[in-house]
Amino acid sequence: MTCGPAPTKSDHIWLVVAAVVFTGLDALMGSLNEPTTGWAGPYAVFLLQIPLDLSLIFAFRYPRIVAGLVLAGATLMLISDELAPGLFTPEHPISLATVPTITSVLLCVLVRVLDRRSVLILTGIFMVLSTRVWHPSWAVIPFGLASTVLPSLGSLYLQARRDLLRSLRDRAERAEREQHLLAEQARAEERRRLAGEMHDVVTHRLSLMVLHAGALTVSSKEPSVREAAEGIRSEGTRALDELRDLVGVLRGTEQDTGTAQAAAVVDLPDPATLAAESESVGIPVRLSVDGDGNGLSPTVARTAYRVVQEALTNVRKHAPGSEVDLALRYRPDGLDIEVRNSPPRGAPDPVLAGSGSGAGLSGLRQRVELIGGTLRAGPVISGGFEVSAILPAYVPTAESAQHDHGRRRR
C-alpha cells in the first residue's frame, strides 16, 4: 500500500507548532500532578514526556524512529503503573492518559508517511497499551480508544478520500487529454481530406493553364505574346510547386518537399532578389545576409520569400519615401527574418494603400505558423514598422506537431 503525498513546508510548520503546544501542555500537567516518588526523581514525568513531545518535530523525516521512541515511552509508563507505581508517572495522576499525550498526533502523521499495514500494527499496539484490557475500566478504555484508534482511523479515512479524489482528478485530466487528442486527430484527418480535394481541383486547373501557355509560346508568332505566355507558364509552374508544398504540410508529411530538395533542381525564390525590385521602384533597401540558405526546405524557402515580399509590399503601400533594413540570418536549424522601415516621408497613395484585402499579415502569420514558425509585426519606437519571423529549417510533420502540442499541455 502506498503512502500519502510528500509533506509540504506547511505540514512541517504545523508539526512544530503541535510539538510546542503539547510540550507546554505536558509541562502544565506535570506541574499540577504530584511528584513522582521512584528512583528516577520527582520530575521523572518531565524527563519522559517532554523529549517525546519534541521528537514529534522529526516525525516526517524519521517516522519509525519517533514511533519507536513513543512506543518505548508508553512501555515505561505501563511498567511504572503495573510494577513500580510512582516511578515514571504519579501514583494518582490527574489525567486518564496511559500512553504519551503525543500519541494521537503521531498516529495521524504516520498515516501520511508509512504504509497502511505498519500504521494498523502500531495502532493496535498503542491501543492495547492505552486501554489496559487486562484491567477493564469504563474510564480508561474509552479514553484509550479516543487517543489511539479514533485519530488513526480518522486519518486513514481522510487519506483514502484524498487518494480517491486525486485518482478521479487524474482520470478526468487523462480523459480530457484523450478527448483533445481525438479532436486533433479528427482535425488532422479533415485537413488531409481537404488538402487532397484542393490538390485535385486546383492542380487540374493550373496544369491546364500551364499547358495552354506552353502551347501558346510555341505557336504564337508575336514575340510579346510568347514572352507573356512564357511568364504565365513560369508563374503557373511555380504555383504548382508551392501548392504541392502546402498540401504536403496540410497532409502532415514532408514527402513532397523532401523529394524536391533531394532532386536539387527546384528553382527556389531568393528573398534577396526582392531588395533589387524595391530599389528599382525607389525604395532603398539595406540588405544584410548572414549564413547560407541551402539547408532550408523548399516550403520554408518559399515562406521566407512571402514574408519579405509582403513586408516590402506594405512599405510601398503605406510608407512611401522610407528606407528599409532587411536582415536575413540563416541558422543550422532555421532562418531569422527582420524587415524594418523608417518613418514615411510623405502621405501614402490612397489608391495604392486601399488595394488588397487588408488581411495580408494575418494570412501570412497563419502560413508561418502552419510550418512551425512565428511571425511578429508592429510599429517600432522610432516611428517605423517592423515585420520579423523565425522559421524552422524543415516543416514539422503532423505527428510531431501533435506530440509537441500535447507535451506543452502537460
Side-chain angles (χ1 to χ4, degrees):
M1 183 64 62
T2 58
C3 305
T8 62
K9 184 178 180 180
S10 60
D11 292 330
H12 288 283
I13 293 176
W14 283 111
L15 201 60
V16 172
V17 172
V20 172
V21 169
F22 274 86
T23 299
L25 179 63
D26 284 335
L28 177 62
M29 293 178 60
S31 63
L32 297 177
N33 271 318
E34 60 183 25
T36 52
T37 57
W39 53 265
Y43 304 107
V45 64
F46 289 98
L47 298 177
L48 180 63
Q49 293 276 10
I50 303 303
L52 297 180
D53 294 336
L54 295 176
S55 69
L56 185 65
I57 298 175
F58 307 99
F60 277 132
R61 183 171 299 180
Y62 309 108
R64 299 183 185 277
I65 296 177
V66 175
L69 291 175
V70 176
L71 186 59
T75 304
L76 291 177
M77 293 177 65
L78 174 63
I79 294 174
S80 176
D81 287 343
E82 296 292 331
L83 302 179
L87 177 59
F88 294 107
T89 56
E91 295 186 16
H92 305 287
I94 62 175
S95 173
L96 297 176
T98 55
V99 291
T101 54
I102 204 70
T103 302
S104 57
V105 179
L106 175 64
L107 289 174
C108 294
V109 173
L110 295 180
V111 171
R112 291 281 304 276
V113 294
L114 295 182
D115 59 278
R116 185 174 300 177
R117 179 181 178 183
S118 300
V119 171
L120 292 177
I121 291 175
L122 288 172
T123 301
I125 296 174
F126 280 114
M127 180 193 68
V128 173
L129 296 177
S130 63
T131 56
R132 310 290 171 87
V133 292
W134 52 89
H135 296 312
S137 172
W138 287 107
V140 175
I141 290 180
F143 195 86
L145 293 176
S147 60
T148 56
V149 177
L150 185 61
S152 180
L153 293 181
S155 299
L156 286 172
Y157 167 75
L158 293 177
Q159 183 64 43
R161 187 174 182 273
R162 282 193 295 265
D163 293 341
L164 177 61
L165 292 177
R166 184 168 59 250
S167 174
L168 293 176
R169 183 169 55 251
D170 294 341
R171 186 178 301 176
E173 292 177 354
R174 185 166 58 252
E176 182 181 359
R177 288 196 298 268
E178 292 175 354
Q179 184 178 6
H180 176 77
L181 289 177
L182 290 176
E184 288 289 336
Q185 292 176 359
R187 281 193 289 267
E189 291 296 331
E190 183 65 15
R191 280 190 357 178
R192 293 189 183 97
R193 186 184 66 81
L194 291 176
E197 292 182 0
M198 183 178 66
H199 181 270
D200 294 339
V201 175
V202 179
T203 301
H204 175 70
R205 298 300 178 184
L206 282 176
S207 299
L208 289 177
M209 182 185 71
V210 171
L211 289 175
H212 285 303
L216 187 61
T217 303
V218 176
S219 62
S220 178
K221 297 181 180 180
E222 296 292 334
S224 59
V225 175
R226 288 200 302 269
E227 183 179 355
E230 177 61 27
I232 294 174
R233 190 192 66 81
S234 177
E235 291 298 326
T237 303
R238 181 172 295 180
L240 283 173
D241 291 338
E242 292 186 4
L243 177 63
R244 184 185 62 244
D245 292 337
L246 290 177
V247 168
V249 174
L250 289 173
R251 285 176 172 172
T253 64
E254 290 190 88
Q255 180 179 0
D256 296 332
T257 58
T259 303
Q261 188 178 15
V265 296
V266 180
D267 183 18
L268 297 179
D270 184 5
T273 60
L274 294 170
E277 295 179 1
S278 294
E279 292 276 0
S280 64
V281 296
I283 302 294
V285 178
R286 290 186 290 269
L287 177 62
S288 173
V289 180
D290 183 13
D292 186 5
N294 292 331
L296 297 180
S297 69
T299 302
V300 176
R302 291 191 178 93
T303 302
Y305 184 87
R306 294 305 182 202
V307 170
V308 177
Q309 185 181 52
E310 180 68 24
L312 293 178
T313 300
N314 287 338
V315 172
R316 291 194 291 269
K317 285 183 178 180
H318 306 289
S322 63
E323 298 178 351
V324 180
D325 291 312
L326 171 58
L328 303 173
R329 288 183 289 273
Y330 294 97
R331 297 175 282 103
D333 59 343
L335 166 65
D336 296 338
I337 303 173
E338 184 178 300
V339 184
R340 178 183 298 181
N341 64 274
S342 61
R345 296 178 182 177
D349 186 345
V351 176
L352 188 61
S355 62
S357 63
L361 287 177
S362 61
L364 187 63
R365 179 176 287 106
Q366 293 177 2
R367 177 167 180 169
V368 169
E369 292 176 352
L370 190 63
I371 66 170
T374 58
L375 178 75
R376 292 180 298 176
V380 295
I381 300 177
S382 61
F385 197 86
E386 180 182 74
V387 176
S388 61
I390 301 176
L391 305 180
Y394 299 96
V395 180
T397 63
E399 289 76 8
S400 63
Q402 289 182 12
H403 176 72
D404 294 339
H405 183 72
R407 184 174 56 186
R408 286 194 298 269
R409 283 180 58 85
R410 290 193 293 269

